[in-house]
Amino acid sequence: MRDVSIIGIGQTEVGEHWGKSLRHLAGDAVLAAMRDAGIERADALYVGNMLSGELNGQEHLGALIADFVGLRGVEAVKIEAACGSGAAAVRMGYLAVASGLLDVVIVVGVEKMTDQKGAVTTAGLAMAADAEYEVVNGISFVSLNALLMQRYMHEYGVQHEDFAGFPINAHKNAATNPYAMFRKPISLETFKRARMVAAPINLMDSSPVADGAAAVVLAPSEVARRFQPASVRIIGSANATDSLAVHDRRDPLFLSAAALSAQKAYRQAGIGPNDVDFFELHDAFSITAALSLEAAGFAERGRGVYLAKDGEIALDGRIPICTFGGLKARGHPVGATGVYQIVEAVLQLRHLAGPNQVKNARIGMTQNIGGSGATVITHILAAEG
Amino acid sequence: MAIPQNWRLQHQRYRLTGEVCHTCGAKLFPPRDVCPECAKPAYEPFQFAGKGEVYSFTVLSDAPAGYEAYEPYPVALVKLQEGPLVTAQLTDVDPQDVRIGMPVEMVTRKLTEDGDDGLIVYGYKFRPVLKAAANG
Ligand SMILES: [Zn+2]
């Protein structure tokens, strides 16, 4: 096993890209990452994407994008794990380089979601859930998370307003991220007045449908310094699963795959939650942020929500989260999100985060969740030197 | 969902037929042939009574394609008396009146239809158990 480093990053602005197709978005991110790494070729391209077949009528993204960016001939394949596709693809790139079989691997996460009308996109996203036993009953992805939030509030005596700190923090950090979809702070009043989507989840609890692409270049750490003095090492990488359906879980309020993948990543890195300087978590909904903080060991069960109330998740707090706006405000182009998280973590660890910089950041963690918690990929990254 | 896919699910959809594990006794719905509790085979069919209570619920107003005509509608996780949770719509109830812990029972209802000429999909929904029936 070899150590693996990230030697290049690239991202497109997250938003509604009416003038750009999926291949152009992916191409922009890949070429930016190659420029950043100072490379002109690679051994493989892994593409994280969830819904290209359903929303863009296009599968076979590996060959499509490799050819489009001038890498015709390389090994290339699409990797799918619902909203966890991006980090799942990074994990495959990590395995390939760590194994010694490949030297330079590019991973791009891309999603083009705004080509279809809302109900079609909603139905596509629901494919992350169990088609025969969840989706056929008319559930949407939002409603599955609403079932978790309702039960959480009931079991722990939490009020809806207690979750407001998550979107407020996300929007505050996105305001100074040039790649974010919503660069505007929100107030408690905005949160309280937001339209209900699936009670108790309102619009401000929910991340937006968006287009976007992000890419990273991976290489063995021993040669990484030659390409990129500001390389960042992957010191923990893990993917764990749970039942696809929420109803098949013994305890729906505990994200056991999130706990398992975090524990595996901590063990590999030889660290614990107290050593993590910031945490790019998967705030698809504000309930997901609370459950992730609990599963990853930053809060006791039923207490994750209070980290948002007490300011501990701010850039200068005990455990900063969503430092560039998270899924809520940077935006959530589903298959790209896991790669955005890693790109943002690299910016923090290179100390190039500008006004979003977490002071003295040395170790960062990212956690990307597929479906309602069925696939969870955790990465731990460390600044070199 | 395609016609053969719906047809294969008829026993689960219309009668709530699951499976039981002979090793640890766990009752499984949906059926899955391998017990998630003890990882031993569980091929024996088991008939659920269709009674339970609301574990959690929500109301959908942004429905996925194919379900827009029915919104808003309540969806729940129902905790069956025999143990498993099941995802289902609630019916014959004002969404305002749904509460966690509310006793419910299974009924067969239309879930959706595939256009004017297509398949009509039937399946289980759950409705409140009348007070008298619940006590008696
Ligand atoms: Zn068993």
Side-chain angles (χ1 to χ4, degrees):
Chain A
M1 274 266 296
R2 304 190 292 186
D3 281 345
V4 178
S5 290
I6 298 166
I7 63 167
I9 54 173
Q11 58 180 322
T12 70
E13 195 180 313
V14 178
E16 299 179 353
H17 289 279
W18 302 109
K20 284 208 170 174
S21 65
L22 181 144
R23 71 183 79 183
H24 275 101
L25 286 170
D28 286 353
V30 169
L31 294 173
M34 290 176 75
R35 269 196 308 277
D36 184 47
I39 59 160
E40 285 174 357
R41 52 164 293 280
D43 297 317
L45 174 75
Y46 294 147
V47 182
N49 172 270
M50 176 185 178
L51 289 168
S52 68
E54 193 64 18
L55 302 186
N56 316 114
Q58 179 71 65
E59 288 292 5
H60 212 165
L61 297 187
L64 175 79
I65 296 164
D67 177 44
F68 193 70
V69 298
L71 292 171
R72 190 181 295 185
V74 302
E75 169 181 340
V77 67
K78 162 171 161 169
I79 287 147
E80 190 275 320
C83 325
S85 301
V90 173
R91 161 96 178 139
M92 298 315 288
Y94 170 80
L95 292 176
V97 176
S99 74
L101 289 174
L102 301 178
D103 283 329
V104 178
V105 174
I106 301 171
V107 182
V108 60
V110 59
E111 204 76 56
K112 175 71 192 157
M113 304 180 75
T114 59
D115 277 357
Q116 300 287 343
K117 59 179 182 174
V120 175
T121 308
T122 301
L125 288 168
M127 291 178 181
D130 186 326
E132 297 184 342
Y133 292 101
E134 290 182 311
V135 181
V136 73
N137 298 301
I139 63 100
S140 61
F141 194 59
V142 184
S143 65
L144 279 177
N145 288 278
L147 292 171
L148 297 181
M149 190 169 181
Q150 186 88 270
R151 184 72 195 186
Y152 187 96
M153 290 164 59
H154 171 82
E155 232 165 80
Y156 300 120
V158 173
Q159 302 303 309
H160 181 249
E161 201 179 310
D162 293 336
F163 289 89
F166 288 116
I168 290 172
N169 174 68
H171 277 259
K172 181 165 182 276
N173 293 342
T176 46
N177 173 10
Y179 298 100
M181 184 165 185
F182 299 131
R183 282 169 240 162
K184 214 176 112 194
I186 60 160
S187 65
L188 179 60
E189 274 312 299
T190 314
F191 177 80
K192 289 202 295 203
R193 281 202 312 260
R195 178 174 74 84
M196 201 52 82
V197 182
I201 290 183
N202 74 20
L203 204 58
M204 285 301 130
D205 288 306
S206 320
S207 54
V209 162
D211 306 328
V216 295
V217 180
L218 307 177
S221 300
E222 63 204 23
V223 294
R225 284 174 205 95
R226 266 190 276 149
F227 290 94
Q228 173 61 266
S231 68
V232 165
R233 200 149 52 89
I234 299 176
I235 59 171
S237 171
N239 176 334
T241 54
D242 197 350
S243 70
L244 193 68
V246 171
H247 58 231
D248 282 329
R249 296 181 197 154
R250 202 172 303 166
D251 181 354
L253 291 186
F254 185 65
L255 297 180
S256 69
L260 195 57
S261 82
Q263 283 158 13
K264 283 160 78 177
Y266 286 141
R267 205 175 314 127
Q268 184 189 353
I271 65 161
N274 288 336
D275 302 306
V276 174
D277 296 319
F278 64 93
F279 181 24
E280 293 302 336
L281 57 67
H282 191 95
D283 58 324
F285 303 97
S286 41
I287 179 65
T288 330
L291 294 177
S292 301
L293 284 165
E294 294 170 19
F298 295 100
E300 298 291 311
R301 294 196 54 184
R303 305 294 303 173
V305 64
Y306 297 109
L307 296 187
K309 274 191 90 174
D310 303 340
E312 303 201 53
I313 58 169
L315 290 177
D316 59 355
R318 178 167 70 90
I319 181 66
I321 67 169
C322 307
T323 66
F324 284 91
L327 282 62
K328 172 67 192 80
R330 173 238 295 126
H332 183 28
V334 288
T337 287
V339 188
Y340 273 99
Q341 292 176 317
I342 298 213
V343 164
E344 291 161 352
V346 169
L347 284 172
Q348 288 289 357
L349 295 171
R350 285 180 179 178
H351 289 222
L352 292 177
N356 296 56
Q357 187 63 50
V358 173
K359 235 183 236 161
N360 303 320
R362 301 288 306 157
I363 293 179
M365 184 156 96
T366 64
Q367 190 171 70
N368 190 198
I369 299 183
S372 52
T375 305
V376 183
I377 305 97
T378 305
H379 282 101
I380 301 176
L381 310 179
E384 283 280 34
Chain B
M1 202 181 287
I3 290 172
Q5 202 175 0
N6 280 296
W7 173 79
R8 280 195 300 273
L9 293 166
Q10 55 186 301
H11 297 299
Q12 292 85 288
R13 288 266 185 78
Y14 301 159
R15 296 196 289 131
L16 221 58
T17 305
E19 285 170 339
V20 59
C21 171
H22 277 308
T23 308
C24 77
K27 316 286 197 304
L28 311 177
F29 188 87
R32 52 197 298 154
D33 295 353
V34 176
C35 175
E37 301 295 328
C38 69
K40 296 288 192 300
Y43 290 111
E44 185 73 26
F46 178 83
Q47 190 56 58
F48 284 86
K51 306 264 192 222
E53 60 175 52
V54 173
Y55 174 86
S56 192
F57 66 96
T58 185
V59 180
L60 260 92
S61 42
D62 288 336
Y67 296 82
E68 301 105 312
Y70 310 100
E71 64 186 41
Y73 51 88
V75 170
L77 284 168
V78 172
K79 178 93 176 145
L80 297 176
Q81 277 175 355
E82 298 90 343
L85 285 170
V86 56
T87 304
Q89 283 187 33
L90 299 177
T91 186
D92 305 348
V93 63
D94 184 333
Q96 303 284 340
D97 298 335
V98 180
R99 295 287 176 270
I100 286 176
M102 191 171 89
V104 290
E105 61 188 3
M106 179 208 156
V107 289
T108 301
R109 292 282 191 276
K110 183 170 98 173
L111 294 178
T112 184
E113 57 189 271
D114 195 5
D116 286 343
D117 305 320
L119 183 72
I120 298 177
V121 179
Y122 291 94
Y124 46 79
K125 293 187 183 182
F126 284 78
R127 71 176 175 199
V129 178
L130 295 176
K131 274 248 159 52
N135 296 337

